[in-house]
DNA sequence: TTGACATATTCCGTTATCGGAATACGATTC
DNA sequence: GAATCGTATTCCGATAACGGAATATGTCAA
């Protein structure tokens, strides 16, 4: 086995900077592929490939509009990420940093007491 | 060029299920490597390798304790992910789903009006 | 129906990743 | 200081990701 398919889930899909940028752009509303190509400064095939990955994990929806394809953000799969990361929110909050310090000091004190 | 190193940032580090599991375990407190090996049911080298990635993006800190190495969670790098994902929070909320429906209906109405 | 435009797919080469097995290293313990 | 324990690193082999270039598909316009 080599590695998890990028297409497997939102975590993998979003690990790529370009795909995050695409989602950022789509947050501003529906966009045709060539719009994205221009805004990102990428080659068109690369953009289409990234869009495919995003489509496969459900992060974007497509709609045909004449010869264009309009892509639209669908953030729902991001909720899984949000939920998971939120679990750790305390970890980076100021107050818990302080708590860590207190706990460390406490540990040191105990260590001394054992002598 | 092939692909960005997994080791590059928190997004990539966390894209791997095993590494997320490790962080989940460390959320419960410091752990020695063999603890994690047992809890995860993985081979020890694999665990050490995942820990290395996590270390390199700053998601865990290490402390030497005799012949053991105690790993400890450091969630700070997750804040970047949290911040980014939070940008899209409205996208999956119930109220905005409803708004989407309304907008769709409106679009349909307009389409009919054009006939 | 031919040509131009918009997008998707395929093919290619390079590189990173992952798991597994073997091995190296470093700190204890005997 | 030799055996042992805990962990890290290295060396595979397989896979798949990525960018680039070429090409295919599909739609509109003349």
């Amino acid at each position: 086995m080599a590695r998890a398919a990028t297409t497997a889930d939102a975590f993998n899909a979003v690990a790529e900077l370009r795909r995050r940028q695409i989602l950022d752009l789509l947050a501003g509303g529906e966009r045709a592929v060539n719009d994205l190509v221009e805004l990102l400064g990428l080659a068109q095939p690369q953009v289409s490939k990234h869009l495919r990955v995003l489509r496969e994990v459900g992060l974007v929806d497509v709609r045909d509009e004449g010869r264009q394809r309009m892509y639209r953000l669908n953030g729902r799969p991001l909720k899984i990420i949000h939920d998971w990361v939120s679990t750790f929110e305390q970890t980076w909050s100021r107050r818990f940093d302080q708590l860590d310090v207190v706990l460390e000091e406490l540990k040191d004190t105990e260590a001394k007491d054992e002598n």
Side-chain angles (χ1 to χ4, degrees), chain A:
Chain A
M1 212 180 290
R3 73 181 316 240
T6 201
T7 200
D9 58 34
F11 280 100
N12 281 286
V14 151
E16 178 74 26
L17 175 61
R18 300 306 200 170
R19 290 196 283 263
R20 262 176 276 146
Q21 294 177 332
I22 289 177
L23 295 181
D24 286 339
L25 290 172
L26 292 181
E30 247 187 3
R31 291 279 191 186
V33 178
N34 265 343
D35 270 27
L36 297 171
V37 168
E38 189 147 346
L39 290 166
L40 293 167
L42 285 182
Q44 174 269 314
Q46 321 306 326
V47 174
S48 280
K49 282 186 251 182
H50 283 311
L51 285 170
R52 184 199 235 268
V53 172
L54 292 173
R55 232 186 306 136
E56 287 178 345
V57 300
L59 276 167
V60 298
D61 296 323
V62 212
R63 182 172 66 83
D64 282 26
E65 174 87 35
R67 44 179 149 180
Q68 299 189 309
R69 310 202 78 194
M70 306 301 291
Y71 279 85
R72 153 200 276 240
L73 175 66
N74 179 351
R76 232 163 34 249
L78 291 179
K79 179 167 161 46
I80 294 172
I81 298 177
H82 188 260
D83 288 349
W84 181 76
V85 174
S86 293
T87 295
F88 298 91
E89 195 161 3
Q90 355 169 42
T91 295
W92 64 74
S93 79
R94 183 98 184 75
R95 290 182 53 212
F96 276 79
D97 277 7
Q98 294 299 76
L99 182 55
D100 275 358
V101 172
V102 175
L103 289 176
E104 274 307 314
E105 287 169 356
L106 220 61
K107 190 172 291 173
D108 289 353
T109 309
E110 283 168 15
K112 275 177 197 160
D113 288 351
E114 282 164 12
N115 297 342

